[in-house]
Amino acid sequence: MTTIRVTVDGSTYEDEVEPRMLLVHYLREQLGKVGTVIGCDTSNCGACTVHVDGRSVKSCNMLAVQADGHEVTTIEGLATDGQLHPMQTAFHENHALQCGYCTPGMIMQACDVLRENPNPTEEQIRVGLEGNLCRCTGYQNIVKAVQQAAGALAGQQGGEQA
Amino acid sequence: MTVADETTAQAEIGRPRRRKEDARLITGRTKWTDNLQLAGMLHIACVRSPFAHATITAIDVEEAKQAPNVVAVLTGQDVKDIQGSLPNAWPIVADQKAPPHPAIAVDRVAFAGEVVAVVIARTPRAARDAAELVDVDYDELPAVLDLKKAAADEVIAHPDLGTNISAHFELHSHEIGTGGNVEDAIRDAEVVFEREYRQQRLIPAFMEPRSVVVDPTGEQFVMWSSTQVPHILRLMLALTLGVPESKLRIIAPDVGGGFGGKLQVTPEEVITFLAARHTGRPVKWTETRSESLLAAHHGRDQWQRLTLAAKKDGTMLGLKVELLADMGAYLGLVTSGVPILGANMFNAIYKIPSYTFICDNVFTNKTWTDAYRGAGRPEATFAIERLVSDFAAHIGMDPMEVRKKNWIAHEEFPYATVSGLEYDSGNYEAATARAEEMFGYAALREEQRRRREAGEKVLLGIGISTFTEACGLAPSRALGEANYGAGGWEHASIRMLPTGKIEVVTGSSAHGQGHETAWSQLVADKLGVPFEDVEVLHGDTQIAPRGMDTYGSRSLVVGGSAVLKAAQKVIEKAKPLAAHLLEANVDDIEFDKGQFTVKGTDTGVGIGDLALATFAAHNLPDMMEPSLDAEATFDPINLSFPHGTHLALVEVDTETGKVALTKYVAVDDIGNAVNPLIAEGQVHGGLVQGISQALWEEAVYDDEGTLVTGSFVDYTLPTAADTISFETDRTVTPATTNEMGAKGVGEAGTIASTPAIVNAVVDAVRHLGIDDIRMPLTPERVWKAIQSAGQEQQAATPATQQPHFGDAPNQDTPETDAAVSGAEVGGPDSMSPDTTPGDGAER
């Protein structure tokens, strides 16, 4: 067992974990952060995507011990001060989810797509989400949601600058 | 608070309401079954057979039992007298054959992936580690994997049955009195056109892996399961295990997709129940994705042979359908019925005077098949829409013209079909006209011609699918005649709370369909209350005690109708109370927008005030029970028949075989839409699943019966980068069989899009001599088809006409999955070795 110290959604946790434990299992089973889900065992589906130090990571593709000393944000920590993140709002307004199982990972990845490129084309959005599978929506409304969020985030930044 | 204040100005039905469900799903506050943690909970890992067919000669579980944190290990021998046999609810013929279907194999396994032992341990990891220590000895038996070989009974999947044929089903229009004898039509026809198509095996691949938790502590066993069918599951578990139904409570919490894949009573549900009862503690089983692909049921998998009798001018005279349907190793809940759901659909939108449908259900040593989005109707629609386009090319007509010549005209509805259904409404002309307008059909045909004539390497293809389908299995009496194990009804109840809020309890069991939103819209309009005041409860047999669950595009049309019927009962129940309080005659009471008024006056009382009045019960009419609550069961009189015209444009790179979908127009007639936003979302998702069958997905087994596509690395679901944005619209002919005028929409996109795509690809290369390519149309298959067609062409035509095929290819002669005009290159798979499907014979 190894001791790790990880900040998750603003709280800091110290735990003993098996060296083989995946980050996603640590989040779900040890911390009860069950908003992050598991969809496959080959890193293909992206349902478990979280942010580690602000960048998207498939949490099934990282060991819990590798998160030692790092800051993790899950879907449960994305809304701040009771306000949904613009990406969450955009997913709701554009009907970008049906069963909702891929949604946590999809939203976290979509945030990362805009972090890297705040004003992407449809093609760039589609390529940016390539590592996240959705079986319900056909992706069309997800793409629309990311486009709307890009506009909203640009508006926010413009507002801050003004 | 008066009801007048609450009355919503805008009609809810038809409004693109954003979903109520989203709030918890976008924030991660979800209740997936695997999220559950109960005190003392144990975890299961399954040991599965690596062999497709084998005798189990010994199982040594001692080492596993001794492993740390292992509580118990169960084998088939341990549970053989209590596990029962998993149910099949649709014996399609009286003499249907089926082997017993154990949850844990006892002495023989019939497919790779079948459970042979179960380890129960304190943690999932301890269970998985110990599962590796279970030592199973097998004697391999001959396995039959190929559907056609299985149908020939060369090797038997279940030796005790003596045959692989589970059932032989026939439907003849001349026998049921709906048309002539197809053999007469074939004998007398000017053109007899034959084709054989392959429906490859698919995997539903819902995003949430299946999970089951059983808590045996307490008066009832409580099972949480990632299922589409909690009510059916409860009944079937009771029947399978001999446990009183009243001792079972089933909860389907948040369920992450189904697509038919969770319309099942699974071995793992039985196993988890048995493990919980055995240990007396809560037990959880959650599958890995690899387990899911291996052992959750598959879909499709048919050979389809069609014979069309027609005139030279394109008029259809008769259609004969002969199917081989792969059951896999066992019959699941509706495995046997899936091909039969297509029995009435091959004739589709066409007026065909004579019709025959013949199907053999065949066992193989592979994972069993069952419902997958569309279940029987995608297969039928694919075959007829491919056939019509191929037939049009054969007689030199435009594929749309052949359709127009034969389809049911809008003024002919209601229309009794040759296969015995009655289509209540539709307008194929309107949907097609709209689709052609959006698509720019004529201009694209011109561009297609230009590219061909210019000898360009990237060619255009236009694919048409003018589909219809049948949703919401009904009526119950007909289901009884078809030997289906259940009725086609749905149940709902409405609870009028004293604060004016309303609880709607539905027997439908949503797993992404947005029922909480759509049902709220229905009730808001019907009872004249705010959308926000309606709470929809479902998916728990204790809360929603009666139900027939969600599958087959039935929920809105059947379940929504039950909700409206219950709401009407609330109104009727409230009227005498309104009359009493308003001191009026009950016959003078009118109800509109939440308000009961006395005819010709402006005195009234709101429905919420009446709910409060029944709670207090201080001043009710004599003999009135103090409640406005009502429940209703709706049993539809017919199915619903959505239809539409879908047009696909593809680019086929003749040098690489790559297919790029560049434009897709879908015009659907789903009757009136309660929530157009949700309906359009269903179309989008459905389209991608159908397109994916055409282009990407296939469950592949090797010669030993091992699933090769056993992870998402190899079972290739489409990503955002593989797909495009669709252009969708709707035309509307309301259904006449339900109050809303609604038709099902959940499966329409999937049913329509597969043939549209394949027709488009074939259309791009048909002039090269290609008239079929087997799905999925991977670049490799398309390239091989072009290569072999090129070789054929080279012999037949001057090389200068096909310059890029002029030089001998520098590759080895490819094997081909394509049917080249005049010669099916399907090899040993061909349905009858002594005939040559392919071109029709003109007479």
Side-chain angles (χ1 to χ4, degrees), chain B residues 55-119:
Chain B
T55 305
I56 302 167
T57 54
I59 303 184
D60 183 352
V61 301
E62 282 315 309
E63 200 181 346
K65 274 186 174 165
Q66 301 307 319
N69 295 312
V70 170
V71 173
V73 179
L74 295 177
T75 66
Q77 288 296 339
D78 297 325
V79 298
K80 65 181 178 187
D81 298 327
I82 53 172
Q83 68 177 344
S85 178
L86 291 161
N88 170 254
W90 198 346
I92 58 164
V93 292
D95 60 351
Q96 174 172 288
K97 293 184 176 64
H101 189 174
I104 307 179
V106 178
D107 46 23
R108 190 175 63 92
V109 291
F111 72 96
E114 193 164 355
V115 178
V116 294
V118 174
V119 176

Coordinates of all heavy atoms in Angstrom, one line a residue, chain B residues 55-119:
Chain B
T55 N -17.5 -30.0 -23.1 CA -18.0 -30.7 -21.9 C -17.2 -30.2 -20.7 O -15.9 -30.1 -20.8 CB -18.0 -32.2 -22.0 OG1 -18.7 -32.6 -23.2 CG2 -18.6 -32.9 -20.8
I56 N -17.8 -29.9 -19.6 CA -17.1 -29.5 -18.4 C -16.8 -30.9 -17.7 O -17.7 -31.5 -17.2 CB -17.9 -28.6 -17.5 CG1 -18.2 -27.3 -18.2 CG2 -17.1 -28.3 -16.2 CD1 -19.3 -26.5 -17.5
T57 N -15.5 -31.2 -17.6 CA -15.2 -32.5 -16.9 C -14.9 -32.4 -15.4 O -15.1 -33.3 -14.7 CB -14.1 -33.3 -17.6 OG1 -13.0 -32.4 -17.7 CG2 -14.5 -33.6 -19.1
A58 N -14.4 -31.2 -15.1 CA -14.1 -31.0 -13.6 C -13.9 -29.5 -13.4 O -13.4 -28.8 -14.2 CB -12.8 -31.8 -13.3
I59 N -14.3 -29.1 -12.2 CA -14.0 -27.8 -11.7 C -13.4 -27.8 -10.4 O -14.0 -28.4 -9.4 CB -15.3 -26.9 -11.7 CG1 -16.0 -26.9 -13.1 CG2 -14.9 -25.5 -11.3 CD1 -17.2 -25.9 -13.1
D60 N -12.2 -27.3 -10.2 CA -11.5 -27.3 -8.9 C -11.6 -25.8 -8.4 O -11.0 -24.9 -8.9 CB -10.1 -27.7 -9.1 CG -9.4 -27.8 -7.7 OD1 -10.0 -27.3 -6.7 OD2 -8.2 -28.3 -7.7
V61 N -12.4 -25.6 -7.3 CA -12.5 -24.3 -6.8 C -11.8 -24.1 -5.5 O -11.9 -23.0 -4.9 CB -14.0 -24.0 -6.6 CG1 -14.8 -24.1 -7.9 CG2 -14.7 -24.9 -5.5
E62 N -11.1 -25.1 -5.0 CA -10.5 -25.1 -3.7 C -9.5 -23.9 -3.5 O -9.6 -23.2 -2.5 CB -9.8 -26.4 -3.3 CG -10.8 -27.5 -3.0 CD -11.9 -27.0 -2.0 OE1 -11.5 -26.4 -0.9 OE2 -13.1 -27.2 -2.3
E63 N -8.6 -23.7 -4.5 CA -7.6 -22.7 -4.3 C -8.3 -21.3 -4.3 O -8.0 -20.4 -3.5 CB -6.7 -22.7 -5.5 CG -5.4 -22.0 -5.2 CD -4.4 -22.1 -6.4 OE1 -4.6 -22.9 -7.3 OE2 -3.4 -21.3 -6.4
A64 N -9.4 -21.1 -5.1 CA -10.1 -19.9 -5.1 C -10.8 -19.6 -3.8 O -10.8 -18.5 -3.3 CB -11.1 -19.9 -6.3
K65 N -11.3 -20.7 -3.2 CA -12.0 -20.5 -1.9 C -11.1 -20.1 -0.8 O -11.5 -19.5 0.1 CB -12.7 -21.9 -1.6 CG -14.1 -22.1 -2.2 CD -14.7 -23.3 -1.6 CE -16.2 -23.5 -2.1 NZ -16.7 -24.8 -1.9
Q66 N -9.8 -20.6 -1.0 CA -8.8 -20.3 0.1 C -8.2 -18.9 -0.1 O -7.5 -18.4 0.8 CB -7.7 -21.3 0.1 CG -8.1 -22.8 0.3 CD -9.0 -22.9 1.5 OE1 -8.7 -22.3 2.6 NE2 -10.1 -23.7 1.5
A67 N -8.5 -18.3 -1.2 CA -7.9 -17.0 -1.5 C -8.4 -15.9 -0.5 O -9.5 -16.0 0.0 CB -8.2 -16.5 -2.9
P68 N -7.6 -14.9 -0.3 CA -8.0 -13.9 0.7 C -9.2 -13.2 0.3 O -9.4 -12.8 -0.8 CB -6.8 -12.9 0.8 CG -5.8 -13.3 -0.3 CD -6.2 -14.7 -0.8
N69 N -10.1 -13.0 1.3 CA -11.3 -12.2 1.1 C -12.4 -12.8 0.3 O -13.4 -12.2 -0.1 CB -11.0 -10.8 0.6 CG -10.2 -10.0 1.6 OD1 -10.6 -9.9 2.8 ND2 -9.1 -9.4 1.1
V70 N -12.2 -14.1 -0.1 CA -13.3 -14.8 -0.8 C -14.3 -15.4 0.2 O -13.9 -16.1 1.2 CB -12.7 -15.9 -1.7 CG1 -13.7 -16.8 -2.3 CG2 -11.8 -15.3 -2.8
V71 N -15.5 -15.2 -0.1 CA -16.6 -15.7 0.8 C -17.2 -17.0 0.3 O -17.5 -17.9 1.1 CB -17.7 -14.6 1.0 CG1 -18.9 -15.2 1.8 CG2 -17.1 -13.4 1.7
A72 N -17.3 -17.1 -1.0 CA -17.9 -18.3 -1.5 C -17.6 -18.4 -3.0 O -17.3 -17.4 -3.7 CB -19.4 -18.4 -1.3
V73 N -17.7 -19.7 -3.5 CA -17.5 -19.9 -4.9 C -18.7 -20.8 -5.3 O -19.0 -21.8 -4.7 CB -16.2 -20.6 -5.3 CG1 -16.1 -20.8 -6.8 CG2 -15.0 -19.8 -4.8
L74 N -19.4 -20.5 -6.4 CA -20.6 -21.3 -6.8 C -20.3 -21.8 -8.2 O -19.8 -21.1 -9.1 CB -21.8 -20.5 -6.9 CG -22.4 -19.9 -5.5 CD1 -23.6 -19.1 -5.7 CD2 -22.7 -21.1 -4.6
T75 N -20.6 -23.1 -8.4 CA -20.6 -23.6 -9.8 C -22.0 -24.1 -10.2 O -22.9 -24.1 -9.4 CB -19.6 -24.9 -9.8 OG1 -20.2 -25.9 -9.0 CG2 -18.2 -24.5 -9.3
G76 N -22.1 -24.5 -11.4 CA -23.4 -25.0 -11.9 C -23.9 -26.2 -11.1 O -25.1 -26.3 -10.8
Q77 N -22.9 -27.1 -10.6 CA -23.3 -28.2 -9.8 C -24.0 -27.7 -8.5 O -24.9 -28.3 -8.0 CB -22.1 -29.1 -9.5 CG -21.6 -29.9 -10.7 CD -22.6 -30.9 -11.2 OE1 -23.5 -31.3 -10.5 NE2 -22.5 -31.3 -12.4
D78 N -23.5 -26.6 -8.0 CA -24.1 -26.1 -6.7 C -25.5 -25.6 -6.9 O -26.2 -25.5 -5.9 CB -23.2 -25.0 -6.2 CG -21.8 -25.4 -5.8 OD1 -21.6 -26.6 -5.4 OD2 -20.8 -24.6 -6.1
V79 N -25.8 -25.1 -8.1 CA -27.1 -24.4 -8.2 C -28.0 -25.0 -9.2 O -29.1 -24.5 -9.5 CB -26.9 -22.9 -8.6 CG1 -26.1 -22.1 -7.6 CG2 -26.2 -22.8 -10.0
K80 N -27.6 -26.2 -9.7 CA -28.4 -26.8 -10.8 C -29.9 -27.1 -10.5 O -30.7 -27.0 -11.3 CB -27.7 -28.1 -11.3 CG -27.7 -29.2 -10.3 CD -27.0 -30.4 -10.9 CE -26.9 -31.5 -9.9 NZ -26.1 -32.6 -10.3
D81 N -30.1 -27.3 -9.2 CA -31.5 -27.6 -8.8 C -32.3 -26.4 -8.5 O -33.5 -26.5 -8.2 CB -31.5 -28.6 -7.7 CG -30.9 -29.9 -8.1 OD1 -31.0 -30.3 -9.3 OD2 -30.2 -30.6 -7.2
I82 N -31.7 -25.2 -8.4 CA -32.4 -24.0 -8.0 C -32.4 -22.9 -9.0 O -33.1 -21.9 -8.8 CB -31.9 -23.5 -6.6 CG1 -30.4 -23.3 -6.6 CG2 -32.3 -24.4 -5.5 CD1 -29.8 -22.6 -5.4
Q83 N -31.5 -23.0 -10.0 CA -31.3 -21.8 -10.9 C -32.4 -21.8 -12.0 O -32.5 -20.7 -12.6 CB -29.9 -21.8 -11.5 CG -29.7 -23.0 -12.5 CD -28.3 -22.8 -13.1 OE1 -27.6 -21.8 -13.0 NE2 -27.8 -23.9 -13.7
G84 N -33.1 -22.8 -12.2 CA -34.2 -22.8 -13.2 C -33.5 -22.7 -14.6 O -32.3 -23.0 -14.8
S85 N -34.3 -22.3 -15.5 CA -33.9 -22.1 -16.9 C -34.3 -20.7 -17.3 O -35.5 -20.3 -17.2 CB -34.5 -23.1 -17.8 OG -34.1 -22.9 -19.2
L86 N -33.4 -19.9 -17.9 CA -33.7 -18.6 -18.3 C -34.8 -18.6 -19.3 O -34.9 -19.4 -20.2 CB -32.4 -17.9 -18.8 CG -31.4 -17.6 -17.8 CD1 -30.0 -17.4 -18.4 CD2 -31.8 -16.4 -16.9
P87 N -35.7 -17.6 -19.2 CA -36.9 -17.6 -20.0 C -36.8 -17.2 -21.5 O -36.1 -16.3 -21.8 CB -37.8 -16.7 -19.2 CG -36.9 -15.7 -18.7 CD -35.6 -16.4 -18.3
N88 N -37.6 -17.8 -22.3 CA -37.9 -17.3 -23.6 C -39.4 -17.1 -23.6 O -40.2 -18.0 -23.3 CB -37.6 -18.4 -24.7 CG -38.1 -18.0 -26.1 OD1 -39.1 -18.6 -26.6 ND2 -37.5 -17.0 -26.7
A89 N -39.8 -15.8 -23.9 CA -41.2 -15.4 -23.8 C -41.9 -15.5 -25.1 O -43.1 -15.0 -25.2 CB -41.3 -14.0 -23.2
W90 N -41.3 -16.0 -26.2 CA -42.0 -16.0 -27.5 C -41.7 -17.2 -28.3 O -40.9 -17.2 -29.2 CB -41.5 -14.7 -28.3 CG -42.5 -14.4 -29.4 CD1 -43.5 -15.1 -29.9 CD2 -42.4 -13.2 -30.1 NE1 -44.1 -14.5 -30.9 CE2 -43.5 -13.2 -31.1 CE3 -41.7 -12.0 -30.1 CZ2 -43.8 -12.2 -32.0 CZ3 -41.9 -11.0 -31.0 CH2 -43.0 -11.1 -31.9
P91 N -42.4 -18.3 -27.9 CA -42.3 -19.5 -28.7 C -43.1 -19.3 -30.0 O -44.3 -19.3 -30.0 CB -42.9 -20.6 -27.9 CG -43.8 -19.9 -26.9 CD -43.3 -18.5 -26.8
I92 N -42.4 -19.1 -31.1 CA -43.1 -18.6 -32.3 C -43.9 -19.7 -33.0 O -44.8 -19.4 -33.8 CB -42.1 -17.9 -33.3 CG1 -41.0 -18.9 -33.7 CG2 -41.5 -16.7 -32.7 CD1 -40.2 -18.5 -34.9
V93 N -43.5 -20.9 -32.8 CA -44.3 -22.0 -33.3 C -44.5 -23.0 -32.2 O -43.7 -23.0 -31.2 CB -43.6 -22.7 -34.5 CG1 -43.6 -21.8 -35.7 CG2 -42.2 -23.2 -34.2
A94 N -45.5 -23.9 -32.3 CA -45.9 -24.8 -31.2 C -44.7 -25.8 -30.9 O -44.5 -26.2 -29.8 CB -47.2 -25.5 -31.5
D95 N -44.0 -26.1 -32.0 CA -43.0 -27.1 -31.8 C -41.6 -26.5 -31.8 O -40.6 -27.2 -32.2 CB -43.0 -28.2 -32.9 CG -42.9 -27.6 -34.3 OD1 -42.9 -26.4 -34.4 OD2 -42.7 -28.4 -35.3
Q96 N -41.5 -25.3 -31.3 CA -40.2 -24.6 -31.2 C -39.2 -25.5 -30.3 O -39.6 -25.9 -29.2 CB -40.3 -23.2 -30.6 CG -39.0 -22.5 -30.3 CD -39.2 -21.1 -29.9 OE1 -39.6 -20.2 -30.7 NE2 -39.1 -20.8 -28.6
K97 N -38.0 -25.6 -30.8 CA -37.0 -26.4 -30.0 C -36.1 -25.4 -29.3 O -35.6 -24.5 -29.9 CB -36.2 -27.3 -30.9 CG -37.0 -28.5 -31.5 CD -36.1 -29.4 -32.3 CE -36.9 -30.6 -32.8 NZ -37.9 -30.2 -33.8
A98 N -35.7 -25.7 -28.1 CA -34.8 -24.9 -27.4 C -34.1 -25.8 -26.2 O -34.8 -26.5 -25.6 CB -35.4 -23.7 -26.8
P99 N -32.8 -25.6 -26.0 CA -32.2 -26.3 -24.9 C -32.5 -25.6 -23.6 O -32.9 -24.4 -23.6 CB -30.7 -26.1 -25.3 CG -30.6 -24.8 -26.0 CD -31.9 -24.7 -26.7
P100 N -32.4 -26.3 -22.5 CA -32.4 -25.5 -21.2 C -31.4 -24.4 -21.2 O -30.3 -24.6 -21.8 CB -32.1 -26.6 -20.2 CG -32.3 -27.9 -20.9 CD -32.0 -27.7 -22.3
H101 N -31.7 -23.3 -20.5 CA -30.8 -22.2 -20.5 C -30.3 -21.9 -19.1 O -31.0 -21.1 -18.4 CB -31.5 -21.0 -21.2 CG -30.6 -19.8 -21.5 ND1 -31.0 -18.7 -22.2 CD2 -29.3 -19.6 -21.2 CE1 -30.1 -17.9 -22.3 NE2 -29.0 -18.4 -21.7
P102 N -29.3 -22.5 -18.7 CA -28.8 -22.3 -17.3 C -28.1 -21.0 -17.1 O -27.4 -20.5 -18.0 CB -27.9 -23.5 -17.0 CG -27.3 -23.8 -18.4 CD -28.4 -23.5 -19.4
A103 N -28.2 -20.4 -15.9 CA -27.5 -19.2 -15.6 C -26.0 -19.5 -15.5 O -25.1 -18.8 -16.0 CB -28.0 -18.5 -14.4
I104 N -25.7 -20.6 -14.8 CA -24.3 -21.1 -14.7 C -24.3 -22.5 -15.4 O -25.1 -23.4 -15.0 CB -23.8 -21.3 -13.2 CG1 -24.0 -20.0 -12.5 CG2 -22.4 -21.7 -13.2 CD1 -23.6 -20.1 -11.0
A105 N -23.5 -22.7 -16.4 CA -23.4 -24.0 -17.1 C -23.2 -25.1 -16.1 O -22.4 -24.9 -15.2 CB -22.4 -23.9 -18.2
V106 N -23.8 -26.2 -16.3 CA -23.7 -27.3 -15.3 C -22.6 -28.4 -15.8 O -21.6 -28.6 -15.2 CB -25.0 -28.0 -15.1 CG1 -24.9 -29.2 -14.1 CG2 -26.0 -27.0 -14.6
D107 N -22.9 -28.9 -17.0 CA -21.9 -29.9 -17.5 C -21.4 -29.7 -18.9 O -20.6 -30.4 -19.4 CB -22.5 -31.3 -17.4 CG -23.9 -31.4 -17.9 OD1 -24.3 -30.6 -18.7 OD2 -24.7 -32.3 -17.5
R108 N -22.0 -28.6 -19.6 CA -21.6 -28.4 -21.0 C -21.7 -26.9 -21.2 O -22.6 -26.3 -20.7 CB -22.5 -29.1 -21.9 CG -22.1 -29.2 -23.4 CD -23.0 -30.1 -24.2 NE -24.4 -29.5 -24.2 CZ -24.9 -28.7 -25.1 NH1 -24.2 -28.3 -26.1 NH2 -26.1 -28.2 -25.0
V109 N -20.8 -26.3 -22.0 CA -20.9 -24.9 -22.4 C -21.2 -24.9 -23.9 O -20.7 -25.7 -24.7 CB -19.7 -24.1 -22.1 CG1 -19.5 -23.9 -20.6 CG2 -18.4 -24.7 -22.7
A110 N -22.0 -23.9 -24.3 CA -22.4 -23.9 -25.8 C -22.0 -22.6 -26.5 O -22.3 -22.4 -27.6 CB -23.9 -24.0 -25.8
F111 N -21.3 -21.7 -25.7 CA -20.6 -20.6 -26.4 C -19.5 -20.1 -25.6 O -19.5 -20.2 -24.3 CB -21.6 -19.5 -26.8 CG -22.1 -18.6 -25.7 CD1 -21.5 -17.4 -25.3 CD2 -23.2 -19.1 -24.9 CE1 -22.0 -16.6 -24.3 CE2 -23.7 -18.3 -23.8 CZ -23.1 -17.1 -23.5
A112 N -18.5 -19.4 -26.2 CA -17.4 -18.9 -25.5 C -17.9 -17.6 -24.8 O -18.4 -16.7 -25.4 CB -16.3 -18.5 -26.4
G113 N -17.8 -17.6 -23.4 CA -18.3 -16.5 -22.7 C -19.4 -17.0 -21.7 O -19.8 -16.2 -20.8
E114 N -19.8 -18.2 -21.8 CA -20.8 -18.8 -20.9 C -20.2 -18.9 -19.5 O -19.1 -19.3 -19.3 CB -21.3 -20.1 -21.4 CG -22.6 -20.6 -20.7 CD -23.3 -21.7 -21.4 OE1 -22.8 -22.1 -22.6 OE2 -24.3 -22.2 -20.9
V115 N -21.0 -18.6 -18.5 CA -20.5 -18.6 -17.1 C -20.4 -20.0 -16.6 O -21.3 -20.8 -16.8 CB -21.4 -17.8 -16.1 CG1 -20.9 -17.9 -14.7 CG2 -21.6 -16.4 -16.6
V116 N -19.2 -20.4 -16.0 CA -19.1 -21.7 -15.5 C -18.9 -21.7 -14.0 O -19.0 -22.8 -13.3 CB -17.9 -22.5 -16.2 CG1 -18.2 -22.8 -17.6 CG2 -16.6 -21.8 -16.0
A117 N -18.4 -20.6 -13.4 CA -18.3 -20.5 -12.0 C -18.3 -19.0 -11.6 O -18.1 -18.2 -12.4 CB -17.0 -21.1 -11.5
V118 N -18.7 -18.8 -10.3 CA -18.8 -17.5 -9.8 C -18.1 -17.3 -8.5 O -18.3 -18.1 -7.6 CB -20.3 -17.2 -9.6 CG1 -20.5 -15.8 -8.9 CG2 -21.1 -17.3 -10.9
V119 N -17.2 -16.3 -8.4 CA -16.5 -16.1 -7.1 C -17.1 -14.9 -6.4 O -17.4 -13.9 -7.0 CB -15.0 -15.8 -7.4 CG1 -14.3 -15.4 -6.1 CG2 -14.4 -17.0 -8.1

